[in-house]
Amino acid sequence: MVQVLDSHDVKTTCAYCGVGCGIIARVENDEIVSVRGDEDHPANFGRLCAKGMSLHETMGQKHRILHPQIDGKRASWDTAIKKIADKFRTVIEEHGPESVAFYVSGQCLTEDYYVANKLMKGYVGAANIDTNSRLCMASSVVGHKRAFGSDTVPGCYEDLELADVIILVGSNMAWCHPVLYQRILAAKKTRPNMKIIVVDPRETASCDMADLHIPLTSGSDIALFQGLFNALDTDGVRDLDFVNVHTNGYSEAAKASVSFDIKRVSRETGVDANTLKSFYDLVKASPKTVTVYSQGVNQAVDGTDKVNAIINTHLLTGRIGKPGSGPFSITGQPNAMGGREVGGLANQLASHFDLAQSKDRDIVQNYWNAPTMAQSSGYMAVELFDAIHRGDVKAVWIMATNPVVSMPDADHVREALEKCELVVVSDLYDNTDTVKCADIILPATGWGEKDGTITNSERCISRQRAVISALGESRHDWQAMCDVAIQMGWADAFAFENPAEIFEEYAGLCALDNNGSRDLDLSGLCGIGQDGYDTLAPVQWPIDKMGKSQARLFADGLFFTADRKAKFVIAQKSEKRESEQYPFTLNTGRIRDQWHTMTRTGRAVRLSQHITEPFIDIHPDDARAADIYEDEITAVQSVHGQILVRARLTKRQAKGSVFVPMHWTDAHTANGRVDKLVTPNVDPFSGQPAFKSTLVNVTRFKTVWYGFAIFAEGITPHLNAPYWTRSVVDGGEQVELAGIEIPNDWADYAGDMCGNPDNTEVLVYKEEREGVFRTAYFKDDKLVFTLFIAPEPISLSRTWTVEQLKNTHSGMSRYTLLAGRAGDDVPDKGAIICACLGVGVNQILEAIQTGASTVDAVGECTGAGTNCGSCRSDISHLLQQNTHVEANQ
Ligand code: SF4
């Protein structure tokens, strides 16, 4: 009998970056079986990157928190809610409202964020709610407010397609916002004269398709943009009508920039004069210029001033709010913008009301009918964990984020949580570093189960829909907070039955007395009811009473300051710090296929194949001076501690600086949480930590052996080595290892590592004098465990070896496996470059060697780069460097 499936499609949105792509999820019997891009969604028009395409592969029960837990024991929701409410109430009574806090996330939906803010700012009466978005774009928020009087992103994604010049500043868009980058490349294909300029100390993947790379010294962006301002101003490339009528502060800004001639800028940025001249000439000649900036700008002690230095150039030229021109801050997270809208930061109030203004506080307090109101800013992220460490904050509720990995000085954050009287963590998985610090763990709904709205980087509000039933006893974050609020005696204000009711209240606050006086107007979404909410199509704010939406703001020259004029802000460069003991500048960032702390993307096989280990990128000259060689384990030290990562020698990294990705956690590696090294210096205006400028040293880790192991599903790895890192593969896990002492007996070591599973046949190969040991465990004809040991970094075909988990083995095939190489008759695809179609580096190189000379031609031969396009910059790089092949990972 044919089984009839309950199969249907649901429109929703991606859970990862700030592009906010629309997704169509295919559901069969309450399970998401596939996802595809939503062709109607204005962010992506059907495109998705590898992360978005793999969303459904990150779900499932493994490590999922299914029930509340108190002190490690299962508890009922009622008990957990009562315990949280009682403790919060007691602490507030004894120590005041500032002694409790929420730390939330850009993964929260707008409705979650709204309830959290209402509860903390209007009912607890403190502003101690901050979010991991503080780490991402707080400097842009302050920069916008200083220049425009409001936190407004003036433009939209279409501007990137209409621009003649796009300047990417501190943004590796090819990897971090891949769909947007693909939109730019598609536009460039139809208009080849469009120019892409990358401003970044690193030669990132985004440079592979760029026309010009400005490899400025880390932290010298302000000098570069002061120089650009000066060049535009002195050459008359300015719009004085716009400046005179619509701005304040031009004369002071011009005076402050006048000494930034090319000579000075070249000296301060380390960029040669010719490159600077090319940059300035391109911008001068292109009224349609968009400057995109991201974490490389924001995550600095002078991040806010960098933002204003960029905005100044657009105010000077009047290149703002017009098709194809404007400054454009791109957010890292899917709902960083939604959080900003509802006051998700400790220095904000909901609906773009101003926490610093008593009039605004009164309006919001009245609207909420709130008994009390926060009167001033609360603790911002770094301050918050310091306050917890000091004991000033005694109870904290953390939602959908992993600060023990992602905060600067992350060990200090862990210590703070260990000391805190009550730590509540709402999350999906029980193996995150932060969940391990919790007294009370609450099972939260995750992507596919959550129901609400997000707002992407271009102010577009989209529905993220519940596609399947919530697992176990999971609840939405807004529900859990309402339950606690009701328990604390505020039932009327938190009697929300569903997210549509929350959205209605939020939209009402945005619309309150808003006749164009505030940028965030949702008048047109008031009263849409449950049906309107259910069917809400993506729409950009502001949306007026007639339902008219605005793609761009400020085209009329009217800003949201008191006199409706924009302001030039004079940017001040911070002093460069130096240290003999820590001679390198550490830059942290993201890689193509992982997201934040890998709690979700680390579960997807196809996302784990591109880069499987934490690494350090270091210039070969610096590496040589430090006696560090390719693929060796390297110690990176700052005043806060040490991590161990794999060395990658590359001239794409500037001398004197190193790069380490921020994703790896204690769940994935022995000692690779890079943010524990980061000094918690912050921008004085935004409180955003400077993740790009920690002073570190790098030294060779005195490794005497290296290992590579594969574990079949069902075999639990017991890892005992100073360096290990694990990643999921099809049918199990792969592990890289290294050590500084050789065990007495490698066979015993291997047995301990795999737990000596019953009924296995063990094959061993040794070259004792050479320090080589290899073993493989077979159960019937299946490989269940294998370990390769050598005195130098293991050289074998990992992709091929992992594939052997799926094959059957007897006779010679078992010995071939121990060789770690396919036979000559079996092609070895090598490290996976195209995650969508599983195309390896060797296949791409073969295509290049047989004549493919463009990215498209490689795609025609191999399929690589023809699906989501995220790997096209990697293919381009292989084309440029076709003799250089990364270690065969
Ligand atoms: Fe998701 Fe990728 Fe789109 Fe970002 S670019 S929203 S990660 S699909």
Side-chain angles (χ1 to χ4, degrees):
M1 201 173 109
V2 177
Q3 190 188 7
V4 179
L5 295 173
D6 167 24
S7 169
H8 60 281
D9 289 344
V10 181
K11 285 195 174 197
T12 183
T13 43
C14 180
Y16 297 123
C17 84
V19 181
C21 295
I23 279 182
I24 297 178
R26 165 57 59 99
V27 186
E28 287 180 4
N29 291 339
D30 209 20
E31 197 181 323
I32 301 175
V33 293
S34 65
V35 297
R36 64 182 196 274
D38 179 357
E39 289 178 357
D40 297 331
H41 198 287
N44 55 318
F45 297 108
R47 293 179 176 90
L48 288 181
C49 76
K51 292 187 283 279
M53 301 250 314
S54 310
L55 266 164
H56 60 299
E57 295 165 24
T58 64
M59 305 178 82
Q61 294 228 8
K62 195 171 180 192
H63 285 297
R64 186 72 191 263
I65 303 164
L66 298 172
H67 316 282
Q69 290 175 35
I70 299 175
D71 297 330
K73 296 193 185 70
R74 181 171 172 173
S76 70
W77 266 103
D78 284 352
T79 309
I81 292 296
K82 185 165 183 321
K83 187 147 182 159
I84 297 166
D86 287 352
K87 183 68 180 177
F88 267 61
R89 190 185 302 111
T90 313
V91 169
I92 293 166
E93 280 168 7
E94 290 176 6
H95 304 282
E98 278 79 21
S99 55
V100 298
F102 294 160
Y103 186 65
V104 298
S105 160
Q107 308 282 303
C108 292
L109 304 187
T110 302
E111 291 74 5
D112 301 317
Y113 256 130
Y114 180 83
V115 170
N117 270 278
K118 181 177 177 182
L119 176 55
M120 183 54 73
K121 288 178 180 147
Y123 284 77
V124 171
N128 282 343
I129 168 167
D130 216 42
T131 155
N132 62 5
S133 297
R134 176 75 60 194
L135 318 180
C136 160
M137 49 67 212
S139 297
S140 284
V141 173
V142 178
H144 289 159
K145 288 180 85 168
R146 294 199 305 187
F148 310 143
S150 59
D151 175 20
T152 312
V153 171
C156 59
Y157 294 160
E158 190 191 35
D159 292 330
L160 298 170
E161 294 163 328
L162 298 174
D164 293 326
V165 166
I166 296 173
I167 313 169
L168 299 178
V169 194
S171 162
N172 183 10
M173 192 190 264
W175 279 15
C176 301
H177 299 93
V179 164
L180 215 42
Y181 193 66
Q182 292 306 319
R183 283 183 65 169
I184 293 173
L185 293 188
K188 189 170 165 57
K189 206 168 179 180
T190 59
R191 289 192 302 119
N193 285 337
M194 174 197 258
K195 301 291 181 212
I196 303 173
I197 302 168
V198 175
V199 177
D200 201 306
R202 290 195 297 147
E203 191 187 328
T204 63
S206 300
C207 296
D208 291 330
M209 304 285 197
D211 300 281
L212 185 64
H213 174 212
I214 314 279
L216 78 179
T217 310
S218 177
S220 63
D221 316 50
I222 289 178
L224 184 76
F225 282 91
Q226 293 273 57
L228 175 60
F229 186 103
N230 183 44
L232 294 165
D233 198 30
T234 51
D235 285 0
V237 186
R238 57 195 178 189
D239 183 344
L240 285 183
D241 289 344
F242 178 87
V243 168
N244 291 334
V245 178
H246 296 299
T247 70
N248 288 317
Y250 162 67
S251 314
E252 293 84 347
K255 207 166 141 197
S257 74
V258 78
S259 63
F260 284 85
D261 58 17
I262 282 205
K263 217 165 144 194
R264 176 175 176 187
V265 176
S266 178
R267 196 172 61 244
E268 294 194 10
T269 61
V271 180
D272 67 82
N274 287 338
T275 304
L276 287 173
K277 188 168 178 320
S278 303
F279 171 43
Y280 294 164
D281 287 349
L282 278 172
V283 180
K284 277 186 217 163
S286 308
K288 288 188 172 180
T289 294
V290 176
T291 312
V292 179
Y293 49 97
S294 190
Q295 274 87 335
V297 166
N298 295 327
Q299 292 178 335
V301 288
D302 50 6
T304 302
D305 278 6
K306 286 186 190 181
V307 169
N308 286 111
I310 290 168
I311 291 174
N312 284 351
T313 63
H314 284 271
L315 293 178
L316 175 69
T317 50
R319 295 173 182 174
I320 187 165
K322 297 173 184 159
S325 71
F328 204 149
S329 153
I330 304 284
T331 62
Q333 296 196 76
N335 200 31
M337 183 73 85
R340 284 148 72 171
E341 292 163 8
V342 297
L345 296 162
N347 49 343
Q348 292 182 322
L349 205 49
S351 302
H352 284 197
F353 284 97
D354 190 345
L355 183 60
Q357 301 294 328
S358 66
K359 178 176 67 67
D360 283 20
R361 292 196 300 272
D362 290 347
I363 291 170
V364 177
Q365 183 169 6
N366 270 341
Y367 185 80
W368 282 345
N369 197 20
T372 178
M373 198 69 193
Q375 296 298 305
S376 56
S377 290
Y379 293 122
M380 296 189 259
V382 169
E383 298 169 338
L384 172 61
F385 288 98
D386 281 346
I388 296 171
H389 202 277
R390 287 195 306 273
D392 291 347
V393 167
K394 296 173 189 306
V396 62
W397 189 346
I398 298 168
M399 290 168 228
T401 183
N402 197 1
V404 171
V405 178
S406 56
M407 283 290 294
D409 197 4
D411 281 353
H412 175 76
V413 170
R414 170 146 57 197
E415 217 174 82
L417 294 180
E418 282 165 355
K419 289 166 69 174
C420 189
E421 289 180 21
L422 177 69
V423 177
V424 183
V425 178
S426 299
D427 215 323
L428 296 178
Y429 303 114
D430 64 9
N431 62 340
T432 79
D433 299 46
T434 302
V435 164
K436 291 189 191 320
C437 300
D439 302 295
I440 299 180
I441 301 170
L442 298 177
T445 49
W447 181 85
E449 303 163 349
K450 286 164 96 83
D451 195 23
T453 54
I454 63 164
T455 309
N456 70 9
S457 298
E458 61 163 355
R459 294 175 277 101
C460 182
I461 299 172
S462 300
R463 289 279 277 112
Q464 194 174 101
R465 293 185 168 87
V467 179
I468 54 171
S469 311
L471 266 185
E473 296 178 14
S474 309
R475 285 188 191 172
H476 305 305
D477 290 330
W478 67 263
Q479 274 178 321
M481 283 182 283
C482 286
D483 291 341
V484 167
I486 290 165
Q487 183 73 33
M488 291 177 81
W490 300 311
D492 288 349
F494 292 91
F496 298 114
E497 292 282 332
N498 53 56
E501 290 181 5
I502 304 169
F503 187 82
E504 176 64 28
E505 184 176 307
Y506 157 59
L509 184 56
C510 294
L512 193 68
D513 297 329
N514 192 345
N515 296 310
S517 52
R518 296 190 309 279
D519 61 337
L520 177 52
D521 184 2
L522 300 186
S523 298
L525 296 181
C526 290
I528 58 173
Q530 184 71 54
D531 285 351
Y533 187 74
D534 286 343
T535 55
L536 185 66
V539 58
Q540 276 177 287
W541 63 259
I543 308 146
D544 68 15
K545 290 186 178 64
M546 307 306 293
K548 191 166 160 284
S549 165
Q550 242 178 286
R552 298 175 186 85
L553 288 100
F554 308 143
D556 56 2
L558 294 177
F559 296 85
F560 293 97
T561 51
D563 61 3
R564 304 302 303 261
K565 292 184 180 187
K567 189 169 186 322
F568 288 93
V569 178
I570 297 174
Q572 304 285 350
K573 178 176 169 299
S574 68
E575 286 310 309
K576 191 168 167 29
R577 294 175 311 119
E578 287 177 349
S579 157
E580 266 182 38
Q581 196 182 349
Y582 300 103
F584 294 94
T585 302
L586 168 69
N587 177 4
T588 67
R590 292 185 259 168
I591 61 170
R592 195 188 77 190
D593 289 352
Q594 292 296 344
W595 172 257
H596 278 196
T597 62
M598 295 168 68
T599 48
R600 276 187 304 214
T601 48
R603 296 159 67 90
V605 169
R606 73 165 122 172
L607 298 180
S608 299
Q609 299 312 298
H610 178 231
I611 294 174
T612 57
E613 287 182 88
F615 60 85
I616 181 169
D617 276 347
I618 181 169
H619 191 280
D621 292 350
D622 288 336
R624 198 174 306 121
D627 197 26
I628 290 166
Y629 296 86
E630 182 78 22
D631 278 339
E632 286 192 341
I633 305 304
T634 302
V636 190
Q637 301 111 355
S638 78
V639 288
H640 305 288
Q642 171 176 293
I643 61 166
L644 298 177
V645 288
R646 184 84 65 174
R648 301 196 327 180
L649 278 52
T650 170
K651 288 186 178 162
R652 303 183 77 145
Q653 188 66 38
K655 285 184 202 173
S657 71
V658 293
F659 174 83
V660 177
M662 52 82 72
H663 307 289
W664 272 267
T665 74
D666 282 356
H668 298 97
T669 189
N671 186 10
R673 281 183 306 127
V674 69
D675 286 333
K676 75 186 234 185
L677 303 184
V678 173
T679 300
N681 294 326
V682 298
D683 177 285
F685 306 105
S686 69
Q688 178 154 359
F691 283 98
K692 308 288 189 188
S693 56
T694 298
L695 298 179
V696 297
N697 194 15
V698 292
T699 53
R700 186 177 187 189
F701 189 61
K702 303 286 183 212
T703 312
V704 296
W705 62 268
Y706 289 83
F708 173 71
I710 298 172
F711 298 78
E713 259 158 29
I715 306 289
T716 305
H718 302 279
L719 303 173
N720 177 20
Y723 178 84
W724 58 258
T725 182
R726 59 201 284 185
S727 53
V728 293
V729 296
D730 199 2
E733 282 190 75
Q734 76 174 47
V735 174
E736 302 281 349
L737 305 120
I740 50 175
E741 283 176 26
I742 295 179
N744 288 336
D745 187 324
W746 280 117
D748 289 347
Y749 184 86
D752 291 346
M753 189 186 282
C754 65
N756 286 309
D758 293 336
N759 304 321
T760 48
E761 284 178 60
V762 180
L763 212 61
V764 170
Y765 171 83
K766 297 194 252 194
E767 290 173 34
E768 265 171 41
R769 271 213 329 243
E770 307 298 327
V772 170
F773 173 86
R774 295 174 191 171
T775 187
Y777 286 50
F778 298 93
K779 201 168 206 168
D780 301 324
D781 57 359
K782 288 293 200 186
L783 174 71
V784 294
F785 169 68
T786 183
L787 173 67
F788 295 76
I789 299 290
E792 65 281 328
I794 302 285
S795 168
L796 57 75
S797 169
R798 281 147 172 81
T799 308
W800 178 85
T801 309
V802 164
E803 282 170 357
Q804 302 319 303
L805 282 173
K806 289 182 287 180
N807 295 342
T808 55
H809 300 279
S810 60
M812 271 312 289
S813 116
R814 294 184 172 193
Y815 291 95
T816 309
L817 195 151
L818 278 193
R821 294 249 170 244
D824 290 343
D825 53 334
V826 183
D828 169 18
K829 57 169 87 166
I832 299 298
I833 299 293
C834 173
C836 296
L837 302 178
V839 184
V841 65
N842 293 344
Q843 293 166 294
I844 293 170
L845 287 175
E846 193 185 328
I848 294 169
Q849 275 152 20
T850 52
S853 59
T854 64
V855 174
D856 287 339
V858 170
E860 274 169 32
C861 290
T862 64
T866 59
N867 195 33
C868 78
S870 302
C871 63
R872 289 176 70 84
S873 56
D874 301 61
I875 299 168
S876 169
H877 185 59
L878 283 171
L879 279 160
Q880 289 164 24
Q881 316 268 319
N882 68 41
T883 51
H884 172 74
V885 185
E886 211 169 288
N888 189 14
Q889 299 189 47

